[in-house]
Amino acid sequence: MEADDPLHFIVQLLKHYEPMHILPLLILAGALILWRKGLPVPTITPGAAGAGFRSRHFSAADVTASNTATDLGIDNSLPADLVLNATYFAQEILDPLTDWLGRRPTINSWYRSPALNNAIPGSSDTSDHLDALAADLQFYDKGQNATGLLIRAVLQSGIPFDQLIIYGGQPGTSIHISLNPARLRNPKKQILQKTSSGYASVSYQDAADYYL
């Protein structure tokens, strides 16, 4: 194998980095392999909403779906430079959660455009929703809200998360979960409970004692 062979390049990258962290380089190397072999190189239509998004259980439409955006006529299209973020979040958080639960949780909010974020009361201008790195979720079992099972899945599965916010008291009616790629190997794992007066910190052990 030649030293400058794209396949050799891919092998060397995979020895030192996780695939999600070098996805653009892997795509480029794959295109070079096809080009060298005289095969057609797939193209992505410029401007296609969510083009390039990858997930085992979710679609690009799930990333941007928003009743608020629809009701207010707000454009909540996912920018091309955030597709990798959305893919990362799906593959590190939502796909593993779905596998653990046996079916998809309900996504109330994932990506939020700045206009949509401003339209939602209480939203922070530094929200991870703006970068497609957070989602608000619910889970239903036999028609009943079973978000407690969702929280249990987060804790039992060991998925990385920076922040888990529990809404609706205990056992909870919905959650917010986020993860920044820069902290994948050392996530914050902060757990908060939304209360009438703000947010109360919950220790990981206390959460485990209640939900597990």
Side-chain angles (χ1 to χ4, degrees):
M1 182 181 296
E2 297 177 14
D4 62 346
D5 191 311
L7 184 56
H8 174 80
F9 176 59
I10 291 176
V11 171
Q12 294 305 310
L13 283 175
L14 291 176
K15 285 182 178 178
H16 301 286
Y17 301 96
E18 294 186 15
M20 272 305 302
H21 296 166
I22 52 172
L23 185 58
L25 290 175
L26 291 175
I27 293 172
L28 176 59
L32 285 172
I33 290 174
L34 294 175
W35 176 74
R36 283 194 170 186
K37 293 181 177 295
L39 298 174
V41 178
T43 58
I44 296 175
T45 304
F53 174 75
R54 295 290 182 269
S55 167
R56 288 181 288 108
H57 300 293
F58 300 88
S59 69
D62 292 318
V63 181
T64 58
S66 167
N67 290 334
T68 301
T70 300
D71 292 343
L72 298 179
I74 295 173
D75 182 5
N76 198 45
S77 300
L78 183 67
D81 62 348
L82 293 182
V83 170
L84 189 58
N85 277 6
T87 295
Y88 163 87
F89 189 79
Q91 295 183 357
E92 294 292 341
I93 299 287
L94 298 180
D95 285 340
L97 268 182
T98 300
D99 292 337
W100 193 266
L101 291 163
R103 60 184 186 276
R104 293 175 15 148
T106 299
I107 300 176
N108 294 332
S109 180
W110 187 344
Y111 169 69
R112 295 178 189 166
S113 66
L116 175 59
N117 197 62
N118 289 337
I120 297 177
S123 294
S124 166
D125 58 6
T126 60
S127 170
D128 286 321
H129 285 285
L130 292 164
D131 295 316
L133 294 172
D136 296 338
L137 309 172
Q138 288 180 302
F139 188 69
Y140 291 87
D141 185 44
K142 298 178 182 179
Q144 301 295 313
N145 190 306
T147 297
L149 295 177
L150 176 59
I151 299 169
R152 179 185 300 173
V154 172
L155 301 176
Q156 285 186 328
S157 64
I159 63 169
F161 66 88
D162 280 328
Q163 191 175 69
L164 173 66
I165 301 176
I166 303 168
Y167 295 99
Q170 291 179 325
T173 56
S174 65
I175 68 168
H176 164 98
I177 189 167
S178 65
L179 176 64
N180 189 301
R183 289 189 289 271
L184 176 60
R185 296 187 181 280
N186 188 30
K188 291 164 57 178
K189 291 196 173 183
Q190 178 189 46
I191 302 175
L192 299 173
Q193 179 85 50
K194 181 69 170 68
T195 69
S196 58
S197 58
Y199 295 90
S201 179
V202 179
S203 73
Y204 196 93
Q205 187 59 56
D206 284 347
D209 288 345
Y210 184 86
Y211 291 101
L212 305 183

